[in-house]
Amino acid sequence: MRLYLQDVSHMLIFGFGFFLTFLKRYSFSSTGFSLLIVILGVQCSILMEHVSVLLTEISLSGIPGAAMSTVAVVISIGAVLGKMNPMQSIVMVVVEIVVFYVSRWINIYLLQASSHVSMMHVHLFGAYFGLAVSSRFSEPSPRSEKNASTPRSDLLSMLGTLFLWVFWPSFNSVLAVEKDRAIFNTCLALAVSAVAAFAFSGLITKDGKFRMTHIRRAALAGGVTIGFAADSIKHPWIAMILGLLASAISVLGSFCLQSCLPTLRTHDASGVHFTFGLPAVFGALAEVVFFVMDIQTKLPSIGNEVLLSIGALCFTISVALITGLITGLILNFKLWKPIPVSKYFEDQMYWEFPHLAVGF
């Protein structure tokens, strides 16, 4: 368990910390606030893991699960990156962690989802909660020079992708029953999705060149998709096909659906919908298919089990969207001093830059 905790911690601190540094004038805040969010999120998660904290003893075995739950918050922050001040981020962390745990408990105890599958909903919940919150914030100008990247910021973001890619097999296997199988299948899906990312990126660009945004997103899509059924897939080729399809969904989805988000008054700052949202939906549906194939020879009727599995998926997305909309409205209260659109994606709002200080 100690090794799993280290791997998940590396994903949260190094992986997501660098993954969100693609904005050229928001790198300080991306890494600094990510640390704040992760630390606060893990503490809240530990308390939610042990609601009866005064009656029970907290053990090391519960901390990796708490760290995994914090992934939901980091993904959501990616959707509103550069639009919220630290106080708004803190409020969002606390609210989202509480709601995610309540949603997970309902999935486990009422909808009979396994602990592993309910935890994999963290990608679904984080992506759609963040998108719902983002819809309550003003959209930045399409011509804003701050809402752009540089080769240096793209390089740092790609470094975060590499950290996430390396440690993703551990993430998918923490709560899995067949841990070795989960690691093996995740490695295969990640490998295929990374290769496919380059292929699809070259195909859809006019000049045939690779786009860093495509590689960052699609290289991880396979790990997101395979997580739901990583420990139940018995044939390697199935894991590889899932990785291929996940990469296709990520790249082609961003190519075809990116223009739809502005019509919904939603600005996805980090592309979490195409990195985590859509691949997670595909993975959850694939898990239902595998579940049906596994039990159809054991039970005379599988209708109730299928409905419960699909119900858990729909319930998670619905709760994320509804509570995200409510949270977005709350975060725009004047009490939290929301920042104006002109100050979006700006490090100087929060950080001291000695080389810009005026001498006396």
Side-chain angles (χ1 to χ4, degrees):
M1 233 2 118
R2 187 176 302 170
L3 292 178
Y4 283 118
L5 175 59
Q6 290 178 352
D7 288 352
V8 175
S9 298
H10 290 153
M11 284 183 63
L12 288 169
I13 302 298
F14 297 109
F16 284 105
F18 285 114
F19 182 76
L20 299 176
T21 57
F22 60 92
L23 292 173
K24 62 180 181 181
R25 297 177 65 176
Y26 203 71
S27 58
F28 275 41
S29 300
S30 296
T31 53
F33 294 160
S34 290
L35 178 62
L36 170 65
I37 291 165
V38 167
I39 293 173
L40 178 61
V42 170
Q43 294 179 71
C44 293
S45 296
I46 291 175
L47 292 178
M48 293 302 293
E49 283 273 353
H50 304 269
V51 175
S52 55
V53 65
L54 299 178
L55 302 176
T56 61
E57 180 180 351
I58 297 179
S59 63
L60 180 64
S61 60
I63 299 181
M68 293 174 69
S69 301
T70 308
V71 170
V73 177
V74 184
I75 292 174
S76 297
I77 288 295
V80 291
L81 188 68
K83 305 175 189 176
M84 297 197 309
N85 60 41
M87 183 56 66
Q88 288 173 307
S89 299
I90 291 173
V91 174
M92 179 175 165
V93 168
V94 176
V95 172
E96 185 171 2
I97 289 294
V98 172
V99 175
F100 174 70
Y101 267 94
V102 173
S103 170
R104 186 166 179 242
W105 289 336
I106 293 175
N107 281 332
I108 293 175
Y109 296 111
L110 295 183
L111 299 178
Q112 300 177 14
S114 68
S115 179
H116 172 74
V117 171
S118 66
M119 181 59 79
M120 290 300 105
H121 284 163
V122 71
H123 309 298
L124 283 170
F125 194 93
Y128 291 105
F129 185 95
L131 289 173
V133 172
S134 179
S135 68
R136 299 299 90 199
F137 284 79
S138 301
E139 295 184 50
S141 171
R143 299 181 180 180
S144 174
E145 63 173 11
K146 293 183 290 185
N147 186 21
S149 62
T150 63
R152 179 177 174 273
S153 63
D154 273 336
L155 180 61
L156 288 175
S157 182
M158 190 61 191
L159 178 62
T161 300
L162 295 178
F163 271 106
L164 291 172
W165 197 90
V166 168
F167 291 109
W168 211 281
S170 292
F171 180 87
N172 281 353
S173 63
V174 172
L175 299 179
V177 177
E178 299 286 344
K179 297 186 184 298
D180 290 343
R181 182 185 294 172
I183 292 174
F184 179 65
N185 287 329
T186 303
C187 289
L188 289 177
L190 283 169
V192 173
S193 66
V195 174
F198 285 92
F200 289 122
S201 181
L203 285 174
I204 68 173
T205 54
K206 295 180 179 180
D207 54 5
K209 295 182 179 180
F210 305 124
R211 288 189 181 178
M212 190 67 82
T213 53
H214 293 159
I215 309 304
R216 287 202 313 263
R217 297 171 183 174
L220 300 175
V224 175
T225 295
I226 197 68
F228 291 86
D231 63 338
S232 61
I233 296 176
K234 300 178 182 179
H235 303 289
W237 61 270
I238 296 179
M240 297 173 74
I241 290 177
L242 286 179
L244 175 65
L245 294 177
S247 184
I249 289 173
S250 180
V251 176
L252 300 181
S254 63
F255 180 72
C256 301
L257 302 178
Q258 187 70 50
S259 59
C260 297
L261 290 178
T263 62
L264 301 175
R265 299 186 68 249
T266 302
H267 175 251
D268 187 0
S270 304
V272 298
H273 189 214
F274 308 110
T275 309
F276 304 100
L278 289 180
V281 171
F282 173 58
L285 293 176
E287 188 269 335
V288 174
V289 174
F290 296 143
F291 177 70
V292 171
M293 294 172 61
D294 184 54
I295 68 172
Q296 64 180 351
T297 58
K298 304 175 183 177
L299 298 176
S301 176
I302 60 175
N304 291 337
E305 287 75 12
V306 172
L307 288 177
L308 288 173
S309 297
I310 297 178
L313 165 64
C314 296
F315 175 75
T316 300
I317 296 177
S318 299
V319 170
L321 290 174
I322 294 172
T323 56
L325 287 171
I326 296 173
T327 304
L329 292 172
I330 295 174
L331 293 177
N332 276 286
F333 290 169
K334 292 184 179 180
L335 172 67
W336 313 116
K337 298 181 180 180
I339 59 178
V341 179
S342 60
K343 298 298 183 181
Y344 280 0
F345 319 120
E346 185 62 69
D347 269 337
Q348 294 186 43
M349 282 282 294
Y350 315 105
W351 299 90
E352 179 182 6
F353 290 84
H355 66 284
L356 297 179
V358 179
F360 292 94

